[in-house]
Amino acid sequence: MRLDTSALDNHFAAAAGNEFSGVLATDNLPSLEFPEVATCNDFDGFQKATKEMLNHKKGTTTLAFIFDKGVIVAADSRASMGGYISSQTVRKIIEINPYMLGTMAGGAADCQFWHRNLGVKCRLHELANKRRISIAGSSKTLANILYSYRGMGLSIGTMIAGFDETGPGLYYVDSEGARLKGTRFSVGSGSLYAYGILDEGYKFNMPIEEAAELARRAIYHATHRDGASGGCVSVYYVGPDGWKKLSGDDVGELHYQYNPVQEAFVEQQMAEVPAA
Amino acid sequence: IFEYNGSAVVAMVGKNCFAIASDRRLGVQLQTVATDFQRVFEIHPKLYIGLSGLASDAQTLYQRLVFKHKLYQLREERDMKPETFASLVSAMLYEKRFGPYFCQPIIAGLGQDDVPFICTMDCIGAKELAKDFVVSGTASESLYGACESMYKPNMEPDELFETISQALLSSVDRDCLSGWGGYVLVVTPTEVTERVLKGRMD
């Protein structure tokens, strides 16, 4: 059976006396017709638009502060997608290990993944060096990882809080690569309202209960004013023995605790007249 | 632009009565500015209009409608029927077809022989009559779901109040931009009851 080798024939006319003779002759080359596809004229803008698509604004309120007995960390629990509330019971305080907490603001998936990843790295450090990692070290690890992803659209605004050999530690780390050491931080869309209450009531020497109440009040006010914060307030305390969850209160009930409903003053009231 | 201030309005029909309810939040995008903002207005004791959407357009539209209704009262020496009022609102909104009021009105009233009438419109005046309930605002999708499942025909005024309150509160709890309390008006041929609801203030 003779094979059909017509496909292997060379259809290109060889131009005689041409320096570039053969296949590369410029005349008579049949050209391949590319189908019409939408070409992207502005590829950089297109890349930016795809990142913006996943850019959730940091709709939340979290705060943390250092005082003489340790660190208090508090957060709300609402997750919003634009105007829709997707959940009122999100855990925004992530337990990295028994003496370190991280807070979540920004993209939920980003925060959860990278905090867990940080937990892994901290544990590996412990096993390799036979001692716990310091808060400065763990926040530096996270900040370096996030810096290497800078510009790729991660959205993380987190605070790493904990207690190590040098005492309480609090660092703010975000997806732009910032790492700040400080004593009072609040992150998220409701942070401005929380700062107002926090800065007003803050004292370095406070009993634990008073510090927790300050944090609770600050988050409550932020949830009241900010549409993207709400749900429940969780308050954690990190001391020399590790973290402990102090309270989780529903903000709806907290409002009526702080502002009890007052009976309106009734001047005159209609009374039922018994039928004569 | 409909999500600039945030709102939720719902109206339901019962047995010879109707209820109209709204949330009480006024916000500027995510920030809450007031928690006692009125969205349901009276035109006459048997006709109410609830306006969701941009707050300034809601107030302006209400003032223009009251003006037109007062002129009507002077000329015809009686109150406007709800059906007529709905046509008036629809025409007013369509007048601004190419630069509309950013509002979605809900009109609820007792018509002739005290038959309850409810209708809603989009921002350029497309009337949508309904026999059971109408919703509008940023929480409208949640409201549709809540009303659909909780509504029964021919409810008495007390039961209607419970139903509409529960539907409103549960729907605004799923919306960042509305809530912070509720305001419910239940209208029967003999009385009008207004109640303020305690809701989640977050």
Side-chain angles (χ1 to χ4, degrees):
Chain A
M1 196 175 80
R2 199 183 143 77
L3 291 171
D4 177 10
T5 52
S6 60
L8 294 170
D9 290 348
N10 193 336
H11 293 285
F12 305 138
N18 199 330
E19 204 178 314
F20 298 101
S21 63
V23 173
L24 292 177
T26 43
D27 312 325
N28 319 350
L29 269 181
S31 62
L32 187 58
E33 283 294 322
F34 285 101
E36 284 292 323
V37 283
T39 47
C40 187
N41 294 323
D42 174 24
F43 190 60
D44 290 319
F46 174 67
Q47 265 199 326
K48 185 167 182 218
T50 47
K51 275 188 324 193
E52 297 281 312
M53 213 168 71
L54 295 172
N55 198 16
H56 308 289
K57 290 192 196 75
K58 298 181 178 132
T60 188
T61 312
T62 58
L63 63 80
F65 59 87
I66 295 181
F67 67 119
D68 67 330
K69 299 189 175 55
V71 196
I72 293 278
V73 184
D76 75 314
S77 68
R78 177 176 287 184
S80 49
M81 298 196 313
Y84 180 68
I85 298 175
S86 39
S87 171
Q88 293 265 56
T89 52
V90 176
R91 293 180 63 177
K92 295 193 186 179
I93 298 184
I94 299 162
E95 295 136 9
I96 299 171
N97 62 39
Y99 61 98
M100 216 184 335
L101 293 173
T103 59
M104 182 204 296
D110 290 336
C111 288
Q112 280 175 3
F113 179 84
W114 288 108
H115 277 130
R116 188 125 168 91
N117 187 276
L118 180 64
V120 168
K121 299 246 167 8
C122 292
R123 180 73 182 135
L124 288 172
H125 182 276
E126 263 178 46
L127 292 169
N129 300 80
K130 277 200 185 167
R131 50 185 270 172
R132 279 180 175 171
I133 192 171
S134 63
I135 308 298
S138 70
S139 61
K140 191 78 173 173
T141 312
L142 182 64
N144 287 338
I145 295 172
L146 293 180
Y147 186 77
S148 63
Y149 285 96
R150 187 177 143 98
M152 294 203 197
L154 286 184
S155 169
I156 299 177
T158 182
M159 293 181 285
I160 305 292
F163 212 102
D164 60 17
E165 287 148 5
T166 57
L170 178 61
Y171 287 84
Y172 166 75
V173 178
D174 80 7
S175 48
E176 307 301 303
R179 173 175 170 266
L180 302 169
K181 183 174 154 91
T183 43
R184 299 203 289 270
F185 283 115
S186 175
V187 182
S189 57
S191 60
L192 298 165
Y193 311 110
Y195 270 128
I197 306 297
L198 180 60
D199 290 339
E200 181 56 31
Y202 178 79
K203 294 193 300 274
F204 186 72
N205 298 307
M206 275 195 285
I208 297 178
E209 259 319 302
E210 194 185 321
E213 183 56 27
L214 177 65
R216 201 174 299 125
R217 243 185 199 265
I219 298 279
Y220 155 72
H221 274 103
T223 58
H224 184 65
R225 280 287 167 181
D226 179 33
S229 307
C232 320
V233 186
S234 334
V235 182
Y236 284 66
Y237 162 70
V238 191
D241 315 316
W243 57 260
K244 191 167 105 122
K245 180 162 180 177
L246 292 180
S247 67
D249 297 293
D250 184 312
V251 163
E253 275 144 44
L254 268 185
H255 173 82
Y256 293 106
Q257 249 174 40
Y258 291 139
N259 311 298
V261 176
Q262 270 147 14
E263 286 283 332
F265 175 62
V266 181
E267 283 184 6
Q268 289 180 4
Q269 202 169 20
M270 282 204 315
E272 288 288 337
V273 176
Chain B
I1 192 162
F2 288 101
E3 288 164 19
Y4 187 72
N5 293 127
S7 54
V9 186
V10 59
M12 271 191 193
V13 166
K15 189 166 179 184
N16 296 331
C17 63
F18 69 86
I20 183 165
S22 76
D23 73 319
R24 303 185 82 212
R25 176 186 184 264
L26 175 70
V28 169
Q29 289 178 328
L30 283 178
Q31 181 179 43
T32 306
V33 172
T35 56
D36 57 0
F37 188 67
Q38 190 189 6
R39 282 203 176 84
V40 175
F41 302 102
E42 183 194 318
I43 305 288
H44 67 77
K46 287 189 178 171
L47 179 57
Y48 292 83
I49 182 164
L51 290 156
S52 68
L54 193 63
S56 70
D57 278 354
Q59 287 181 332
T60 309
L61 194 58
Y62 163 64
Q63 284 161 5
R64 292 194 65 203
L65 287 167
V66 159
F67 168 71
K68 295 216 166 164
H69 181 254
K70 282 187 176 168
L71 278 180
Y72 183 93
Q73 274 179 327
L74 286 172
R75 286 198 197 109
E76 304 254 335
E77 291 178 359
R78 65 179 176 88
D79 290 331
M80 229 192 237
K81 284 198 282 233
E83 295 86 357
T84 321
F85 186 71
S87 299
L88 170 67
V89 179
S90 174
M92 267 182 71
L93 291 174
Y94 199 80
E95 262 171 12
K96 302 269 184 235
R97 168 67 174 79
F98 299 109
Y101 288 111
F102 296 107
C103 287
Q104 279 145 334
I106 284 188
I107 294 155
L110 288 175
Q112 213 144 28
D113 304 324
D114 293 332
V115 171
F117 169 86
I118 50 171
C119 89
T120 184
M121 304 178 191
D122 69 357
C123 64
I124 42 178
K127 252 190 299 189
E128 155 99 36
L129 305 172
K131 289 204 165 57
D132 40 13
F133 59 85
V134 288
V135 305
S136 83
T138 49
S140 57
E141 281 135 3
S142 310
L143 275 167
Y144 270 125
C147 289
E148 194 66 57
S149 50
M150 294 188 202
Y151 179 79
K152 288 190 325 256
N154 287 329
M155 280 188 279
E156 294 297 325
D158 289 330
E159 204 191 338
L160 184 66
F161 165 68
E162 278 301 324
T163 311
I164 201 176
S165 311
Q166 289 297 342
L168 181 71
L169 287 178
S170 57
S171 309
V172 302
D173 282 346
R174 273 290 174 184
D175 181 27
C176 298
L177 302 169
S178 55
W180 277 258
Y183 174 82
V184 184
L185 261 169
V186 181
V187 181
T188 65
T190 48
E191 60 178 10
V192 172
T193 324
E194 52 179 330
R195 294 183 181 91
V196 172
L197 303 173
K198 247 171 74 157
R200 287 185 65 98
M201 296 295 213
D202 64 354

